[in-house]
Amino acid sequence: MESIKINKLEVENVKRIKAVKIEPTASGLTIVGGNNNQGKTSVLDSIAWALGGDKFRPSEAQRKGSTIPPTLHIVMSNGLVVERKGKNSALKVTDPDGNKGGQQLLNEFVEQLALDLPKFMDASGKEKAQTLLKIIGVGDQLAVLDKEEKELYNQRLAIGQIADQKKKFADEQAYYPDAPKELVSAAELIKQQQDILAKNGENQRKRDQLNEITRNKHRLFDEIQIVDGNIEALQKRKEDLVAKYNQAVSDEEIAMKTTLELHDESTAELEDNIANIEEINRKVRANMDKDKAEDDALDYKNQYAALTEKIVNTRDKKTELLNAAELPLPDLSVKDGELVYKGQKWDNMSGSDRMKVSTAIVRKLNPKCGFVLLDKLEQMDMQTLNEFGQWLEQEGLQAIATRVSTGGECSIIIEDGYVANPEPLPKKEWKEGSF
């Protein structure tokens, strides 16, 4: 679809203009130059009024001192002729076939912001971004993702604060590495003590039994000696005693082996633990509290990490959404609700890049509109002006601009409401580093 541009403009008696005729270049910059208060801006105001409707009508449209009402005559590249003339400056639009039309016909291809680019440039960063998102048709989807990201961010912020508090609390808790893992029971300690005492008692019983066997052995030995004095009479008794003695020796050996293996256990530690059970359990509880605090801190840390991952995923979705959209310029996007071009936000963009971004977005609003009006290009240095002019030509865009200058970069120069050089200038070729 070929965009529509301005082929010719004739203006009389509008604001400071007495009579001006311009034939803008089809692509690139047409710069209306001149000193202050000579009628440069009046040229742009005339175009805006002619094409944009009565809302662009200047408050004092008729040139001061003139008795002749304003006259505007514009020929568009699609053959439409737009006129405003007469006492009421009534609009008349005529197509190449002679058919008449009105403002509605112009609205099909005239983008309002193309007539008032400063309105877009002076808008807030959020408004600029919303305009772009509306153009590329992802505003609603991006709004959902923005809301999701904001909610996740707020959740993560709250979780992060709690996680920090939990970590600080856990670090402040005392810890006793020598304390038992579980709470100590007094009844259990007493039972352990009783078991040890019972075992020690059994050991003592076995030792006493050994002593009794040993005493019995000695007694039997003594009896054997007595019996030896009367061998004949007490032979049988001796034999019985010897058998019993041998048995006693055997029992003694067995008992000796058993008692040698016996080891009594001390109850001193148990008695100490029973006496200090409250202090021990205090330390155990302190350790358990610290372990729980560290587990809680770790849990919130994991929640924080999970939310961070969700935020990254949401941002990736936003990036994918914007990358898939048909943007007016390469390297143009929206980040954190603001326009970003070549990695720079609006306040860090060069003047040339701001012009490129604004012009490209306005053009995208209505691709049929192939022109844009720009005021006060004296804010651009020559290099920036040159870069912008080259870009316009590459994009096939027409820009009619004003600049406080009478230099060679100007297409025409306005003096006291007239064109100072009425002869058409050759088409300006924008070459890097030259004008």
Side-chain angles (χ1 to χ4, degrees):
M1 176 182 61
E2 186 175 351
S3 58
I4 299 171
K5 304 174 184 179
I6 297 172
N7 281 356
K8 184 166 65 174
L9 166 68
E10 297 178 13
V11 183
E12 294 181 21
N13 299 313
V14 178
K15 296 183 69 177
R16 294 184 181 276
I17 294 177
K18 294 177 180 177
V20 169
K21 179 180 178 181
I22 302 174
E23 294 184 11
T25 57
S27 297
L29 269 172
T30 296
I31 297 180
V32 180
N35 295 320
N36 288 322
N37 301 318
Q38 299 301 303
K40 302 183 304 299
T41 302
S42 298
V43 173
L44 302 187
D45 291 342
S46 299
I47 298 172
W49 179 23
L51 300 178
D54 285 331
K55 70 177 182 179
F56 287 96
R57 180 189 179 107
S59 58
E60 295 182 12
Q62 186 168 314
R63 181 174 61 84
K64 188 176 181 179
S66 174
T67 58
I68 302 172
T71 299
L72 301 97
H73 181 92
I74 297 179
V75 179
M76 308 303 297
S77 61
N78 62 351
L80 285 182
V81 177
V82 182
E83 296 178 293
R84 284 189 181 274
K85 60 184 178 179
K87 184 177 180 180
N88 297 321
S89 301
L91 174 67
K92 183 173 75 172
V93 182
T94 308
D95 68 16
D97 297 326
N99 298 316
K100 301 294 189 285
Q103 188 64 47
Q104 189 62 36
L105 182 60
L106 298 179
N107 290 344
E108 292 181 8
F109 65 87
V110 176
E111 170 53 47
Q112 298 294 300
L113 285 177
L115 304 177
D116 189 12
L117 195 64
K119 181 179 180 181
F120 175 83
M121 298 182 72
D122 294 339
S124 68
K126 184 176 181 180
E127 289 172 335
K128 291 187 187 78
Q130 289 301 318
T131 299
L132 174 59
L133 295 175
K134 180 182 177 182
I135 294 171
I136 60 179
V138 299
D140 292 342
Q141 294 168 272
L142 198 64
V144 171
L145 291 173
D146 280 337
K147 182 180 178 182
E148 179 182 329
E149 181 182 349
K150 185 176 181 180
E151 290 174 351
L152 288 170
Y153 179 83
N154 290 336
Q155 289 178 33
R156 188 181 70 168
L157 180 63
I159 290 295
Q161 291 172 341
I162 296 173
D164 289 342
Q165 293 170 359
K166 294 285 187 182
K167 180 66 167 60
K168 183 179 179 182
F169 178 74
D171 291 342
E172 291 174 349
Q173 298 304 295
Y175 190 77
Y176 304 93
D178 296 332
K181 294 297 183 183
E182 303 292 338
L183 290 172
V184 177
S185 166
E188 181 63 27
L189 289 177
I190 292 171
K191 182 179 182 302
Q192 291 178 24
Q193 184 187 43
Q194 289 174 343
D195 289 344
I196 291 173
L197 292 173
K199 181 180 178 183
N200 291 346
E202 176 64 16
N203 290 346
Q204 188 58 44
R205 186 192 65 79
K206 291 179 179 179
R207 292 188 187 98
D208 291 344
Q209 184 182 38
L210 173 61
N211 291 334
E212 178 62 26
I213 292 172
T214 300
R215 285 195 299 272
N216 186 45
K217 183 191 75 169
H218 290 315
R219 181 182 59 80
L220 290 172
F221 181 80
D222 291 340
E223 290 185 14
I224 290 172
Q225 296 301 316
I226 294 171
V227 171
D228 280 343
N230 191 3
I231 296 176
E232 293 179 358
L234 300 173
Q235 184 65 38
K236 189 175 185 306
R237 174 64 176 162
K238 177 182 178 182
E239 290 174 356
D240 290 340
L241 291 174
V242 169
K244 290 179 180 180
Y245 174 79
N246 291 336
Q247 183 62 47
V249 171
S250 177
D251 290 343
E252 182 186 38
E253 290 176 353
I254 293 172
M256 184 71 73
K257 290 180 181 179
T258 301
T259 55
L260 288 174
E261 295 174 354
L262 295 178
H263 298 284
D264 289 345
E265 294 183 30
S266 172
T267 60
E269 183 179 353
L270 283 172
E271 290 170 359
D272 185 61
N273 287 346
I274 291 171
N276 298 290
I277 190 168
E278 289 303 323
E279 176 62 16
I280 292 172
N281 282 342
R282 183 190 69 78
K283 293 180 179 180
V284 172
R285 290 189 184 95
N287 288 354
M288 294 172 68
D289 289 343
K290 185 175 180 68
D291 289 342
K292 184 179 184 305
E294 289 179 342
D295 288 343
D296 287 347
L298 180 61
D299 178 58
Y300 278 97
K301 181 180 178 181
N302 291 337
Q303 290 184 50
Y304 186 92
L307 287 169
T308 297
E309 185 176 355
K310 288 183 179 180
I311 290 172
V312 171
N313 290 338
T314 302
R315 288 175 178 170
D316 288 343
K317 289 179 183 177
K318 288 167 60 177
T319 301
E320 291 171 3
L321 184 65
L322 290 170
N323 289 342
E326 187 178 347
L327 292 162
L329 281 173
D331 301 322
L332 178 64
S333 187
V334 174
K335 185 176 182 181
D336 298 329
E338 291 192 42
L339 289 180
V340 175
Y341 181 57
K342 295 181 179 178
Q344 300 295 326
K345 291 185 178 181
W346 183 265
D347 58 346
N348 287 326
M349 292 182 199
S350 66
S352 176
D353 282 346
R354 288 185 184 184
M355 286 289 186
K356 286 181 186 178
V357 170
S358 301
T359 304
I361 289 176
V362 168
R363 183 194 195 188
K364 188 74 174 179
L365 279 168
N366 187 346
K368 292 181 180 179
C369 187
F371 64 91
V372 64
L373 308 183
L374 305 170
D375 198 16
K376 297 182 174 60
L377 284 199
E378 62 270 11
Q379 297 175 0
M380 284 189 180
D381 59 33
M382 297 298 285
Q383 180 178 348
T384 302
L385 191 70
N386 188 30
E387 291 172 357
F388 183 54
Q390 290 181 49
W391 177 78
L392 286 169
E393 289 193 15
Q394 292 169 5
E395 295 296 315
L397 283 168
Q398 179 187 66
I400 302 174
T402 65
R403 179 177 172 88
V404 178
S405 172
T406 57
E409 77 276 12
C410 299
S411 304
I412 64 167
I413 296 172
I414 303 292
E415 289 183 2
D416 193 24
Y418 291 103
V419 176
N421 50 341
E423 292 298 322
L425 293 176
K427 183 178 182 296
K428 183 69 180 178
E429 295 292 338
W430 297 97
K431 294 183 180 179
E432 186 172 358
S434 65
F435 285 88

